[in-house]
Each structure stands twice: as structure tokens, then as C-alpha cells.
């Protein structure tokens, strides 16, 4: 009841604000207020059809978040920053990467950002946003080189980018046109973290300018891993040469970073902490389990390190050229080559069970448990519960990506016509090399546990109970060696007359997939090299490269978008748009959707999204409002590693997204809200779930940021909120034991004080009130509020102090 009142209050309050603003007398706003509020006069660049079209003139839902606004929100990762974009649901609980991103009710059946594209400076970071264990945000870091985050939801994103029917999030870099720079060092006040950011840019001569920046950090992080889990940094640079009729810009990026991969952990169904495991600061990561013995993708012995977490390594070189060719012709070309690799390593709790029952299931009735390491090594393990851990140990040996986007534009009076050609080449080479372990249920410095049969036979070695994951059918020792080529010609037009703007675009995506994938085979292997085959070495998972499955198929589909905007007066405009787009599936089709001949069916290869949008933009004095009603129908094929399930579904969603700002003297307020009503309308594999709400889809998500500015600085509060949602959608959601993820409000605080014109100090507190906010859970039901489930919560309170010098 309390949550229902909470929902009604939020929706009613914002609805009243919109209605009252639209019915108020028309008042022409000053240029100062226009600049302060939603910048309706900003030229739309990301996902735009029209040349020089402003937000007020466009027929798409766009937003831009400045670096200053991001600072107030106090994000600890890129996904936490994305939560401030209207319409975007970011499950930002995995650390500095591995977030699940959704927009406008489009589903997150597995993980990543399948229906959205994350870009840097107008080009995608990876071609596919949901590569298993290779989510795009793992290879993205936001630092002081960022000028803004631009976003488009729906609309022309379907036709101006590949695999982006839901929208585009574009990280725009500073270029050095405005000379200056800064150096800032941030210290963790209640956790081990030190980070230094720097950036500088300016003119080289009258026609050339540059920008250089990056960061380096190290520390344990906000959860108690017991070791330095975060270590590394990034350098980005660009240089621009201007000519009388255009410019050329070169980009460079080097990323070499390691961060802890936070995975689900034990927590009670009501969100309270399990004894010995703090939901806000605890983690299964432990200094007593850092090394792992496995075989590699070729069957050779291998020593892995749990501390590697998410370790992206990227070297990227980009090129951008924009020129006026004369006679109202212009040309643009953007290209990037990225050498990308990395790893994903973390402990995933396959189950949390009664200790004796789990021991007996492994080694037979009467099995005994002892501590394998830690302060009590060799002593009997007598605690009630025990965790079976699967090590998510993934080597991403090659995710190289090449992309080029060329477009030619002709302007005739108030109309523009554009033709373009997009090409990309994406490599996916991965090896999954998973083992099974026993952990004590403890959120800090957990020890491993050994199990011994009643007859004395050892069923584990130093906490390892299997070289593989037999609890999941030894599914997950495997290789991927895949190559994807995409070609997409597209065309667009825009025209304006009186106060009306109309635009349309069409895109033809064609692609091919080649390569192979290999599963597991069981054999006896002397893993510890002592010359004896022990019990757990009698069935070791190895990649069966001799039985590789070839891949050789292609696909194509057509996307389109048509929209119109009417500017009723200087301060009020309305628009409508209809779009169809699609996104192609990649590695998740392997091991189930690709036949022995290497071919996948068209209905499995790509998923189409149909959308309808109606929007209004309004400003009066200090108030600005941008509201969009949306309707979407979505097809989806997917595969989830943690549940070993395929999905073949259709969804329907409708809702309203609202972006608003209000200024009153030295105080400013920004509020975003998205209401979504979404359901499963078809399920080929499990028809019983038709009518269910997609998992983790809340009715309402919102962010509210208030800031007070004074002579020597500013202070602000940022609220991130969500209402209740179902943990899963593959069962009867009317079951009284259905697991509900409670809604929550996360409060972030920010204060900055200028010690001088160039030196400032700032305090950021993320999750001020130590709220437990569960973003995902592996379980579907819970018998009681105190049932132990496996779930991932937002991070607990973390405070940082930053000293910044501007020059």
C-alpha cells in the first residue's frame, strides 16, 4: 500500500506540473533562462536527420547532460550517470561495468544493452551491446575529458545507427576549442580509493587545437574484497585542424583498467542483510581465493587470478572529417579502429544451501566439511549454510572492432537530403573456463571449504569441488571464434515550411557471421600436477575443439523512421513519430540457435522493434518541460548464461517519459520520470508467461536533482528512485511467493567550495542513507521475507573528497 501511494504521488505531482505549465499564459523566456533550462535551442547532433535542427524543431526525444550535472549526481560508474537520462533504466550495481541498460520498456531478458548503442564521439564502442561478459560499458570510462552525454530515445536512432532501435547514448569529448585544463585528485573517505583526473586543451596555432586528458586510480573499492581490486586508467587525446571549408580531427584512446566485477550475493528477500554478509559493503570476493587452476581454450594448463575482475584493454585510433564541398553539398566521414581485449572474472553463487545437505549431494551421505584455508584452516566447518560458487572466468582474447560511417548531404532551400554508408567489422573471440568451489557465507574474508566422503575420499582440493560446473551440466567451458561484418546504406531527408519540420529516413542493414564455437568434453586430467588422478580430476571440463560447430550465415532487414514537429510558438512545440528498427543477435545464438550446418534462422538472427511517439516541448519563464508518450512492440531472441535459458518472445510497452527543469533565483531543479506499462504478449518456449510483466521492469523510475548556487560554490542533492518490480518473469506472477524487488530511493549529495579562483574542494556522497536497492535477483520466489536469495544491490554509502585545480 505504501509503495502504491508512493507511485501515485510521483505521477500525480508531475502530471499536475505539466498541466499547469501548459495552461499558463504564454510568456517569452529570456535568453538567460533558455540557457539555464532544457536547452531547446541546442543543435541536435546525435541521431539527427536534419542539418542544423534545434531541439525545439526536432521530432525526436533527445537529452544532453553536462559534465557539471554529472558531477552533482556523484556517479561511481558510467551506468550510474546514465540513470539521469529520461527513459533509461540502468541497473548500476555491477561495479565499473557489467550494467544492464533498458529504455522505454524494451526488455533486458539476459544482460547488457541489446537495444541501445553506446557511442564515443558519434561511433559505437562495440557493434553488439550484449556480448556475453563483454557489455559495452566495460570498455567505457567517464572522466574529465567528457564534455557531455547526449542521448536519443527511439526515433531516428533506428535508421542512423546499426543495432540501436531503442536509442543512442553518446559520450562527447572535449576538443580544446576553449583553452584551459584541470587536475583533480579524489580520495575515498570511507573506503580505499585514490584517483587523479587531468585534462588540458587549447590552440596550437590559429587553425589547430588539441585536447589531452585521462585518469589513473587504485584502491579496494566500495565493497570489502580484501585486496586492491581497482587499478588502472585511461588516456584520451584529439587534435583538430580547421580549414576554410571544414575540419579534420584525429582521436586516440588507451584504456588499461582493472575493476572488481560485483555479482549477485546472499541477501534476505526483504533486502535485509544475511548474518555475516552486509548487503551494502559485503561481497563473496575474498583474499583467500585469488588463484584458479583451469585448462585454457586449447586444453593447456592455466593459472587465472580472481582479482582480474573486469580488465578491459583498448587501443583506439579514430578519424573525423567534415567539409563543405560547395554548391550546398557537404560530406562527413567518421572512422575508428579499436584493438580490444580483456577478461571478466568473478565468483557467482550458484546456490546457497544447508551445509550438510550440500555436502551430502557432492560426496554422499555422512560427508564432512572442513575449512580449506583462512584462520580456521583444517577445522570442522559447522555453520548452517554454504555457498556453491561458480567462477565466471572469461578470457576475451579479441574483441577488435572497425567502423566507418560516411554521409553526403545536399541542401536545397529549407530541405536537406542525405545518403550514407556504414560499415563495421566485429570480432568475438572468447574462452569460458569455469570451476566450482565451496565458500562460507561471509561478506568479508570468506574462506573456502573442503568436502570429504564418509569413507575418507576427498571430493575437493583446496575448496575446488569440480574443474567445470557439473551443477549446470558442465555447460560453460567453451570457445567462441566469431566474425561479424555489417554493411548499411541509408538515406534521409528533412524539410521545413512555416513552423513545421518533417523528416524521414530508411536504412538497409545486411550482415554476415562466420567462424566457429566449441563446447566442453569431459576427461581425466592431472590438474595439480602431482602425478595422481584424484576424485575431482576424473572428470575435468576441456574445450572440445575437435568437435567445433561452424558458423556461416547472413541476414538483412530494413528500418525506417518518419516524424514531424510543429512549433506552435517560440515556447511550445509538439511532435509525432513512427519508427521500425531492429538489432541483430551475435554470440548468444551459439549453443542452441545455430544448426550443424552453421546456419541460423532469420527469425532468430534479428529482433524488430516498432515504435510510436507523441511529444511536447514547453517552456515558460523558469520552467522547461519535455514530455513524450511512447508505444513499442518488440521481438526478442536471447540466451542467459546464469540460468542457461533461451528466450523467444514478443513484448508490448507503453508509457510516458518526462524531462523538466525549474529555476528560482540561485536554486535549480531537474526532474526526470518514466512511467512504463509493459507485458509479455507471446512466448514460443513458455506460453504460460504471456501477460506477465517483464522481469525487473518497474512502473516508475525517476531522478530528481536540486542544486543551490552561491558566490563561492554550490551544493546539491540527487535522488534516484524506482518502484517495485518482479524479480523474474518465467513463472506465475500471481504466486503469493513471487519475489518482488522493492522500490527504493537512492540519495546522493554534492557540495563544492572555491578556495580561490582556481582551486576548489568538493565532497561527494553516493547513497547517503545506505539504502539497499536490489537491481536483480536470480530467484523467482521466496517463501518468507527472510528467505536467502541471490541478488545484486546498489553499492552502500561511499564518500569522496576532491581537490581540483583549474587553469
Amino acid at each position: 500500500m505504501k509503495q502504491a501511494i508512493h507511485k501515485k504521488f510521483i505521477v500525480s505531482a508531475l502530471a499536475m506540473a505539466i498541466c499547469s505549465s501548459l495552461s499558463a499564459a504564454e510568456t517569452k523566456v529570456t535568453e538567460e533562462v533558455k540557457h539555464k533550462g532544457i536547452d531547446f535551442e541546442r543543435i541536435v547532433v546525435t541521431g539527427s536527420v536534419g542539418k542544423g535542427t534545434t531541439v525545439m524543431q526536432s521530432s525526436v526525444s533527445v537529452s544532453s547532460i553536462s559534465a557539471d550535472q554529472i558531477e552533482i549526481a556523484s556517479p561511481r560508474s558510467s551506468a550510474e550517470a546514465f540513470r539521469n537520462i529520461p527513459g533509461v533504466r540502468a541497473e548500476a550495481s555491477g561495479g565499473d561495468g557489467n550494467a544492464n541498460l533498458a529504455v522505454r520498456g524494451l526488455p533486458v531478458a539476459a544482460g547488457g544493452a541489446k537495444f541501445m548503442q553506446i557511442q564515443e564521439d558519434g561511433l559505437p564502442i562495440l557493434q553488439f551491446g550484449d556480448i556475453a561478459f563483454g557489455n559495452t560499458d566495460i570498455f567505457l570510462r567517464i572522466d574529465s575529458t567528457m564534455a557531455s552525454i547526449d542521448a536519443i530515445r527511439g526515433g531516428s536512432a533506428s535508421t542512423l545507427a546499426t543495432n540501436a532501435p531503442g536509442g543512442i547514448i553518446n559520450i562527447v569529448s572535449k576538443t580544446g576549442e576553449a583553452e584551459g585544463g584541470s587536475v583533480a585528485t579524489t580520495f575515498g573517505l570511507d573506503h580505499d580509493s585514490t584517483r587523479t583526473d587531468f585534462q588540458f586543451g587549447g590552440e596550437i596555432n590559429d587553425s589547430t587545437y588539441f585536447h589531452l586528458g585521462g585518469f589513473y586510480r587504485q584502491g579496494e573499492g566500495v565493497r570489502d574484497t580484501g585486496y586492491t581490486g581497482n587499478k588502472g586508467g585511461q588516456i584520451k587525446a584529439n587534435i583538430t585542424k580547421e580549414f576554410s571549408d571544414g575540419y579534420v580531427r584525429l582521436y586516440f584512446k588507451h584504456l588499461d583498467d582493472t575493476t572488481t566485477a560485483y555479482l549477485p550475493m546472499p541477501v534476505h528477500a526483504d533486502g535485509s542483510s544475511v548474518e555475516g554478509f552486509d548487503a551494502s559493503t559485503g561481497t563473496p570476493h575474498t583474499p583467500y581465493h585469488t588463484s584458479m587452476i583451469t585448462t585454457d581454450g586449447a586444453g593447456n594448463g592455466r593459472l587465472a587470478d580472481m582479482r582480474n575482475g573486469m580488465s578491459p584493454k583498448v587501443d583506439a585510433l579514430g578519424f573525423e572529417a567534415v567539409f563543405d564541398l560547395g554548391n550546398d553539398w557537404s560530406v562527413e566521414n567518421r572512422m575508428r579502429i579499436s584493438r580490444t581485449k580483456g577478461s571478466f572474472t568473478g565468483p557467482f553463487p550458484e546456490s546457497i544451501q544447508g551445509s550438510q545437505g550440500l555436502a551430502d549431494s557432492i560426496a554422499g551421505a555422512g560427508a564432512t566439511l572442513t575449512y580449506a584455508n583462512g584462520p580456521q584452516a583444517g577445522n570442522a566447518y559447522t555453520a548452517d549454510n554454504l555457498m556453491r560458487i561458480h567462477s565466471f572466468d572469461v578470457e576475451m582474447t579479441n574483441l577488435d572492432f572497425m567502423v566507418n560511417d560516411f554521409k553526403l548531404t545536399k541542401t536545397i532551400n529549407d530541405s536537406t537530403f542525405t545518403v550514407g554508408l556504414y560499415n563495421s567489422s566485429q570480432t568475438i573471440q572468447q574462452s569460458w573456463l569455469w570451476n566450482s568451489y565451496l565458500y562460507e557465507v561471509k561478506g568479508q574474508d570468506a574462506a573456502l571449504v573442503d568436502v570429504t566422503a564418509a569413507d575418507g575420499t576427498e571430493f575437493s582440493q583446496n575448496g575446488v569441488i569440480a574443474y567445470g560446473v557439473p551443477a549446470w551440466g558442465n555447460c560453460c567451458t567453451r570457445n567462441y571464434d566469431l566474425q561479424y561484418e555489417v554493411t548499411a546504406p541509408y538515406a534521409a531527408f528533412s524539410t521545413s515550411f512555416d513552423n513545421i519540420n518533417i523528416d524521414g529516413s530508411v536504412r538497409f542493414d545486411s550482415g554476415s557471421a562466420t567462424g566457429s564455437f566449441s563446447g566442453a568434453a569431459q576427461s581425466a586430467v592431472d590438474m595439480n600436477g602431482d602425478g595422481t588422478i584424484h576424485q575431482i580430476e576424473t572428470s575435468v571440463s576441456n574445450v572440445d575443439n575437435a568437435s567445433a560447430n561452424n558458423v556461416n550465415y547472413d541476414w538483412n532487414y530494413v528500418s525506417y523512421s518518419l516524424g514531424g514537429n510543429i512549433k506552435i510558438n517560440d515556447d511550445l512545440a509538439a511532435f509525432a513519430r513512427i519508427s521500425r528498427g531492429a538489432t541483430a543477435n551475435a554470440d548468444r545464438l551459439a549453443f542452441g540457435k545455430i544448426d550443424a550446418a552453421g546456419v541460423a534462422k532469420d527469425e532468430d538472427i534479428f529482433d524488430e522493434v516498432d515504435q510510436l511517439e507523441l511529444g511536447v516541448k514547453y517552456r515558460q519563464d523558469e520552467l522547461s518541460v519535455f514530455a513524450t508518450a511512447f508505444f513499442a512492440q518488440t521481438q526478442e531472441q536471447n540466451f542467459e548464461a546464469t540460468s542457461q535459458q533461451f528466450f523467444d518472445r514478443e513484448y508490448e510497452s507503453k508509457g510516458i517519459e518526462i524531462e523538466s527543469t525549474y529555476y528560482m533565483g540561485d536554486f535549480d531543479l531537474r526532474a526526470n520520470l518514466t512511467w512504463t506499462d509493459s507485458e509479455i504478449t507471446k512466448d514460443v518456449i513458455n506460453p504460460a508467461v504471456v501477460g506477465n510483466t517483464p522481469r525487473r521492469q518497474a512502473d516508475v523510475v525517476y531522478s530528481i536533482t536540486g542544486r543551490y548556487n552561491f558566490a563561492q560554490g554550490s551544493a546539491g542533492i540527487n535522488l534516484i528512485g524506482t518502484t517495485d518490480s518482479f524479480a523474474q518473469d518465467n513463472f506465475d506472477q500471481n504466486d503469493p511467493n513471487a519475489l518482488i524487488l522493492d522500490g527504493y530511493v537512492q540519495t546522493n549529495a554534492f557540495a563544492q567550495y572555491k578556495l580561490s579562483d582556481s582551486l576548489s574542494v568538493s565532497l561527494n556522497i553516493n547513497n547517503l542513507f545506505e539504502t539497499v536497492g536490489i537491481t536483480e535477483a536470480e530467484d523467482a520466489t521466496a517463501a518468507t521475507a527472510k528467505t536467502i536469495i541471490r541478488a545484486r544491490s546498489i553499492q552502500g554509502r561511499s564518500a569522496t573528497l576532491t581537490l581540483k585545480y583549474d587553469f
Side-chain angles (χ1 to χ4, degrees):
M1 178 64 71
K2 181 179 179 181
Q3 189 63 38
I5 294 172
H6 181 55
K7 293 181 188 178
K8 291 178 181 177
F9 172 77
I10 296 167
V11 176
S12 299
L14 279 169
M16 289 172 61
I18 294 170
C19 291
S20 62
S21 65
L22 291 175
S23 62
E26 297 179 5
T27 303
K28 190 172 182 179
V29 296
T30 65
E31 289 302 316
E32 180 182 1
V33 173
K34 286 181 180 180
H35 177 72
K36 280 186 174 181
I38 298 174
D39 189 0
F40 288 131
E41 304 310 316
R42 176 175 59 89
I43 301 298
V44 179
V45 177
T46 299
S48 173
V49 173
K51 187 176 181 181
T53 304
T54 67
V55 175
M56 186 62 89
Q57 296 169 327
S58 71
S59 56
V60 292
S61 296
V62 294
S63 299
S64 183
I65 307 175
S66 69
D68 289 341
Q69 294 164 12
I70 292 297
E71 191 173 15
I72 296 170
S74 308
R76 298 290 185 257
S77 66
S78 58
E80 289 195 9
F82 297 160
R83 291 186 301 182
N84 292 277
I85 301 173
V88 174
R89 176 168 61 90
E91 298 172 358
S93 56
D96 214 334
N98 195 34
N100 301 320
L101 302 177
V103 61
R104 293 182 171 179
L106 273 62
V108 182
K114 177 175 181 175
F115 295 98
M116 295 192 69
Q117 186 176 99
I118 301 178
Q119 299 181 347
E120 283 187 299
D121 297 309
L123 290 175
I125 297 171
L126 295 172
Q127 186 58 82
F128 304 97
D130 66 338
I131 297 172
F133 300 101
N135 295 8
T136 305
D137 66 323
I138 292 176
F139 304 93
L140 169 68
R141 296 291 183 268
I142 291 179
D143 57 24
S144 59
T145 64
M146 182 200 74
S148 66
I149 299 176
D150 292 350
I152 176 174
R153 284 89 61 197
S156 53
S158 296
T159 54
L160 298 184
T162 292
N163 293 349
I168 299 169
I169 297 176
N170 184 23
I171 312 302
V172 181
S173 300
K174 296 174 182 176
T175 60
E177 286 183 87
E179 185 166 335
S182 65
V183 177
T185 299
T186 301
F187 306 92
L189 298 180
D190 54 3
H191 62 287
D192 177 24
S193 178
T194 304
R195 169 171 169 154
T196 296
D197 287 74
F198 73 96
Q199 59 91 17
F200 175 68
E203 288 188 354
I204 297 175
N205 55 43
D206 290 343
S207 62
T208 309
Y209 47 93
F210 76 98
H211 193 268
L212 172 69
F215 77 93
Y216 187 84
R217 50 91 177 276
Q218 69 176 39
E220 181 181 12
V222 298
R223 292 189 179 271
D224 299 322
T225 61
Y227 52 78
T228 299
N230 300 336
K231 186 176 183 179
Q234 172 176 266
I235 294 177
K236 293 175 66 178
N238 60 72
I239 185 170
T240 304
K241 171 66 175 178
E242 289 188 342
F243 301 90
S244 59
D245 52 359
Y247 70 87
V248 173
R249 181 173 295 143
L250 296 178
Y251 291 94
F252 171 75
K253 168 181 168 178
H254 173 73
L255 172 64
D256 187 349
D257 196 21
T258 296
T259 61
T260 302
Y262 298 125
L263 295 169
M265 58 196 72
V267 65
H268 287 135
D270 63 2
S272 61
S273 296
V274 173
E275 183 179 358
F277 206 114
D278 191 308
S280 294
T281 61
T283 177
H285 296 84
T286 171
Y288 296 117
H289 186 204
T290 56
S291 64
M292 299 176 292
I293 298 174
T294 75
T295 56
D296 64 15
N300 302 308
R302 167 180 174 268
L303 185 64
D305 194 331
M306 187 71 80
R307 293 170 295 186
N308 284 342
M310 295 177 284
S311 296
K313 293 177 173 56
V314 181
D315 286 299
L317 184 63
F319 168 85
E320 177 179 326
V322 178
F323 283 96
D324 182 350
L325 302 178
N327 196 27
D328 296 319
W329 286 92
S330 62
V331 64
E332 297 180 27
N333 195 82
R334 291 175 174 84
M335 181 274 292
R336 182 187 297 133
I337 298 174
S338 301
R339 301 301 181 211
T340 304
K341 61 182 180 178
S343 64
F344 187 106
T345 316
F348 179 89
E350 177 275 333
S351 61
I352 302 156
Q353 303 183 35
S355 298
Q356 192 60 52
L358 180 53
D360 291 349
S361 71
I362 296 170
T368 58
L369 296 165
T370 56
Y371 284 95
N373 56 19
Q376 299 189 63
N379 294 334
Y381 181 81
T382 59
D384 292 339
N385 296 312
L386 195 62
M387 290 191 291
R388 174 156 48 199
I389 294 290
H390 288 171
S391 57
F392 281 6
D393 182 3
V394 178
E395 287 187 347
M396 294 176 277
T397 53
N398 188 343
L399 293 181
D400 289 355
F401 181 49
M402 186 284 295
V403 58
N404 192 89
D405 192 4
F406 170 86
K407 64 178 67 173
L408 183 66
T409 299
K410 172 67 174 179
T411 301
I412 303 175
N413 298 323
D414 293 325
S415 301
T416 62
F417 301 87
T418 298
V419 293
L421 181 64
Y422 174 92
N423 295 96
S424 73
S425 177
Q426 176 72 68
T427 301
I428 302 179
Q429 292 180 357
Q430 287 188 350
S431 295
W432 297 14
L433 310 164
W434 301 5
N435 286 345
S436 303
Y437 303 84
L438 291 181
Y439 277 33
E440 64 176 324
V441 182
K442 192 176 178 183
Q444 185 176 8
D445 299 338
L448 276 70
V449 177
D450 278 328
V451 58
T452 304
D455 63 3
T457 303
E458 295 179 347
F459 273 72
S460 62
Q461 291 178 343
N462 298 318
V464 187
I465 58 171
Y467 293 106
V469 286
W472 285 352
N474 284 318
C475 65
C476 299
T477 298
R478 52 176 63 174
N479 274 356
Y480 297 85
D481 186 0
L482 303 169
Q483 187 71 36
Y484 298 88
E485 309 290 336
V486 174
T487 299
Y490 58 91
F493 79 93
S494 67
T495 187
S496 61
F497 51 91
D498 296 330
N499 291 321
I500 297 175
N501 291 74
I502 297 174
D503 68 83
S505 49
V506 62
R507 185 184 189 95
F508 179 75
D509 275 276
S510 62
S512 65
T514 56
S516 64
F517 58 92
S518 306
Q522 302 302 119
S523 62
V525 180
D526 180 13
M527 294 297 292
N528 65 0
D530 66 355
T532 301
I533 299 296
H534 298 274
Q535 192 282 331
I536 69 164
E537 297 174 325
T538 59
S539 181
V540 174
S541 293
N542 290 283
V543 177
D544 186 12
N545 290 309
S547 303
N549 197 131
N550 288 327
V551 175
N552 186 15
Y553 64 86
D554 53 33
W555 72 90
N556 63 75
Y557 59 84
V558 175
S559 303
Y560 62 82
S561 185
L562 178 65
N565 183 86
I566 180 169
K567 189 174 179 182
I568 300 169
N569 56 47
D570 286 344
D571 303 319
L572 178 64
F575 70 91
R577 178 171 290 276
I578 185 171
S579 304
R580 164 170 283 193
T583 186
N585 295 298
D587 56 303
R588 292 180 186 265
L589 291 180
F591 300 98
K593 293 295 183 178
I594 299 176
D595 63 24
V599 178
K601 298 177 181 178
D602 283 348
E603 59 264 33
D604 295 335
I605 298 173
F606 59 88
D607 299 323
E608 292 184 317
V609 180
D610 292 313
Q611 297 181 81
L612 177 65
E613 302 167 71
L614 298 171
V616 62
K617 293 157 281 190
Y618 180 76
R619 60 190 173 196
Q620 179 183 344
D621 297 333
E622 293 83 7
L623 176 68
S624 303
V625 179
F626 195 154
T628 306
F630 58 85
F631 175 80
Q633 293 178 320
T634 308
Q635 302 171 343
E636 182 174 36
Q637 291 279 349
N638 219 322
F639 172 78
E640 183 179 49
T642 56
S643 64
Q644 295 295 294
Q645 292 183 0
F646 278 95
F647 299 89
D648 186 351
R649 290 176 174 172
E650 293 182 10
Y651 302 81
E652 193 172 280
S653 64
K654 57 182 177 293
I656 299 173
E657 64 183 28
I658 303 167
E659 179 180 9
S660 60
T661 64
Y662 183 76
Y663 283 78
M664 184 172 58
D666 293 323
F667 177 78
D668 62 81
L669 180 71
R670 294 178 179 270
N672 304 324
L673 180 145
T674 304
W675 169 75
T676 306
D677 181 12
S678 184
E679 69 172 319
I680 300 169
T681 56
K682 182 179 179 180
D683 192 305
V684 175
I685 299 172
N686 185 9
V689 305
V690 171
N692 279 359
T693 300
R695 67 176 185 174
R696 309 200 298 266
Q697 178 60 64
D699 288 345
V700 177
V701 295
Y702 59 92
S703 68
I704 303 172
T705 303
R707 176 175 59 177
Y708 178 73
N709 302 287
F710 52 93
Q712 291 299 111
S714 62
I717 293 289
N718 170 249
L719 306 178
I720 301 292
T722 178
T723 55
D724 297 347
S725 62
F726 286 101
Q728 298 293 340
D729 55 21
N730 57 352
F731 72 108
D732 182 3
Q733 291 181 336
N734 294 315
D735 187 328
N737 292 326
L739 180 58
I740 304 295
L741 305 183
D742 290 337
Y744 63 89
V745 179
Q746 177 183 337
T747 303
N748 307 313
F750 165 82
Q752 182 189 60
Y753 186 79
K754 294 181 179 179
L755 300 173
S756 69
D757 289 341
S758 58
L759 182 64
S760 63
V761 59
S762 60
L763 174 68
N764 294 72
I765 305 177
N766 187 278
N767 198 0
L768 177 64
F769 299 116
E770 197 93 279
T771 299
V772 174
I774 295 178
T775 65
E776 63 176 80
E778 301 302 313
D779 307 84
T781 60
T784 71
K786 297 303 178 184
T787 298
I788 298 177
I789 63 172
R790 298 161 298 150
R792 203 167 73 175
S793 172
I794 59 175
Q795 319 309 334
R797 179 173 53 243
S798 60
T800 60
L801 185 72
T802 301
L803 292 173
K804 182 178 181 181
Y805 178 70
D806 292 287
F807 54 90

